[in-house]
Amino acid sequence: MKNAEASPAYAMGEMLGEAFLATVIEGEAKTFPLGRSIICHIGRDEHNSIVIAEKEVSRHHAIVECAPSGGYYLIDLGSRNGTLINGRRVTASVPLHPGDRITIGSRELVFHTRIHLHGTPNWAQGETAAEIVRRTITVLVADVRDFTALCRRNGEVTVSNMISTFFRQCGAAAVEQGAWSQKYIGDAVMAIWIHRTIVPDLQEMFAVFSALAREFEVADSLKSQFALDAPVRIGAGVNTGPACVGNLGSDLSSDYTAMSDAVNLSFRFESATRQIGCDVVLGSSTYQGLAERVAVEGLFEAHTVSLKGYQEAVRVYTANSASIAALVERLRVRLVGGLGKARHA
């Protein structure tokens, strides 16, 4: 079995650029060019830029990207077994320097660059490395309804075990679908996807809503699993927009996160599900991105809502869990159809 291979984008004879990753595959030296305008994805999934087909490697394990300053950075995507640089586990956005050794699974990749990078690496000393980039993101926030009442009726121990299972399985679904970050806030779970382009493509939208559909499935399974007195219901907000993404702390105590109105709105949209009486609220940009790529007729309803902290009413689109499942299937059909056309082109 091959341990690492190039995706089609890297296998078309692209000229070696100013930076690249080098490794040895089955005794043969291989190089993977790095570009300023693209993100190099590394992982087990076949759609990654560099595929490492090992069970110890997560499907979406790590990325290497070029910051506006011109430097290259390594970012672990919350992988199960971690990413090492020069033998040390990555905990934040780490600047790369010529000769740095990146270890993922049993594979070692060496970073090389043809340009001079000023300064010395500061991550080893735990100094702050504040490198902020602007990206389009999609944020998914899902919150358990009536959590306090659930605790009172079913007991804190039972509900604590229930919410732990919910978080664990929802987190696994987000990672499986390539989420860049996930956080747990009270009884809510937030996942963030960073997009390669300003407008998310079909595969990226499929990933977001597949994760959301799985969260509804997890919630539906909890009543019988924990012998609860009522079904567990969740509400979800989904929003797409620009954000500043970066490491805002030190590398020894870091929070590589996203900040923007898009993040704030996703929480407001989740809260609006109670106000409107629905399962899911989508922002306009998310909805428009979907409508341009797949038939959404009969799945969503338009509403205008007032949101806390916003002076003007906001246009949103609502759906129930069954509509999200139907949307995922429509996206799946479109993706399979697109792959079929590509193969016969």
Side-chain angles (χ1 to χ4, degrees):
M1 179 182 293
K2 292 183 178 181
N3 283 333
E5 58 183 309
S7 72
Y10 280 77
M12 296 175 64
E14 181 178 347
M15 293 292 291
L16 200 61
E18 65 183 22
F20 61 95
L21 296 174
T23 189
V24 176
I25 303 173
E26 298 180 350
E28 183 180 354
K30 297 285 186 181
T31 57
F32 300 89
L34 301 172
R36 289 177 175 269
S37 60
I38 60 173
I39 300 174
C40 175
H41 295 258
I42 308 171
R44 196 176 72 247
D45 188 273
E46 63 181 6
H47 295 100
N48 284 288
S49 311
I50 301 176
V51 179
I52 303 178
E54 299 177 5
K55 64 181 180 180
E56 295 83 6
V57 177
S58 298
R59 290 186 61 193
H60 304 278
H61 198 103
I63 62 173
V64 174
E65 67 174 343
C66 184
S69 62
Y72 285 86
Y73 281 72
L74 170 68
I75 303 165
D76 182 85
L77 299 176
S79 64
R80 183 185 298 269
N81 293 308
T83 301
L84 303 181
I85 180 168
N86 301 326
R88 177 176 175 176
R89 185 158 182 163
V90 171
T91 59
S93 171
V94 177
L96 290 171
H97 293 77
D100 280 347
R101 304 183 318 278
I102 301 168
T103 304
I104 296 177
S106 67
R107 179 61 48 195
E108 183 176 274
L109 301 155
V110 181
F111 176 74
H112 297 274
T113 181
R114 300 175 186 276
I115 61 174
H116 177 68
L117 298 175
H118 297 284
T120 57
N122 58 7
W123 61 273
Q125 290 77 34
E127 298 174 11
T128 300
E131 185 68 40
I132 307 297
V133 296
R134 189 172 175 84
R135 291 279 190 266
T136 297
I137 65 171
T138 292
V139 186
L140 164 60
V141 175
D143 182 77
V144 175
R145 299 279 179 79
D146 301 322
F147 184 74
T148 301
L150 274 172
C151 288
R152 289 176 176 173
R153 297 197 312 268
N154 297 278
E156 292 181 355
V157 174
T158 297
V159 175
S160 293
N161 290 331
M162 179 273 292
I163 201 70
S164 176
T165 298
F166 176 72
F167 282 168
R168 184 173 63 254
Q169 294 188 13
C170 289
V175 170
E176 184 76 7
Q177 294 300 332
W180 162 76
S181 175
Q182 54 182 308
K183 295 184 180 181
Y184 307 100
I185 306 153
D187 54 353
V189 57
M190 177 181 74
I192 298 175
W193 283 260
I194 298 181
H195 302 302
R196 294 184 292 268
T197 55
I198 295 177
V199 179
D201 62 27
L202 193 67
Q203 180 68 50
E204 292 171 328
M205 287 290 92
F206 175 75
V208 172
F209 286 98
S210 291
L212 176 56
R214 176 58 184 154
E215 291 186 359
F216 280 114
E217 292 174 356
V218 171
D220 287 342
S221 71
L222 296 175
K223 180 178 183 295
S224 60
Q225 186 175 351
F226 292 93
L228 302 175
D229 66 339
V232 174
R233 297 186 60 231
I234 62 173
V238 184
N239 193 42
T240 302
C244 290
V245 180
N247 175 33
L248 302 180
S250 76
D251 290 320
L252 297 182
S253 179
S254 63
D255 187 12
Y256 199 80
T257 189
M259 295 190 305
S260 75
D261 193 50
V263 178
N264 297 333
L265 277 171
S266 65
F267 282 91
R268 295 291 185 261
F269 291 162
E270 184 279 317
S271 297
T273 60
R274 300 176 180 84
Q275 175 184 340
I276 299 171
C278 61
D279 295 330
V280 183
V281 169
L282 267 60
S284 294
S285 57
T286 307
Y287 176 82
Q288 293 301 329
L290 285 171
E292 292 172 1
R293 289 164 173 76
V294 67
V296 294
E297 292 79 6
L299 301 181
F300 298 94
E301 292 184 0
H303 290 264
T304 301
V305 295
S306 297
L307 303 176
K308 182 179 179 180
Y310 293 82
Q311 292 184 347
E312 297 182 359
V314 177
R315 185 77 161 176
V316 298
Y317 297 83
T318 66
N320 57 32
S321 59
S323 294
I324 296 302
L327 171 66
V328 170
E329 186 56 31
R330 293 185 189 183
L331 288 167
R332 190 193 313 277
V333 170
R334 281 293 313 278
L335 281 170
V336 172
L339 287 174
K341 292 178 181 178
R343 290 193 185 101
H344 290 88

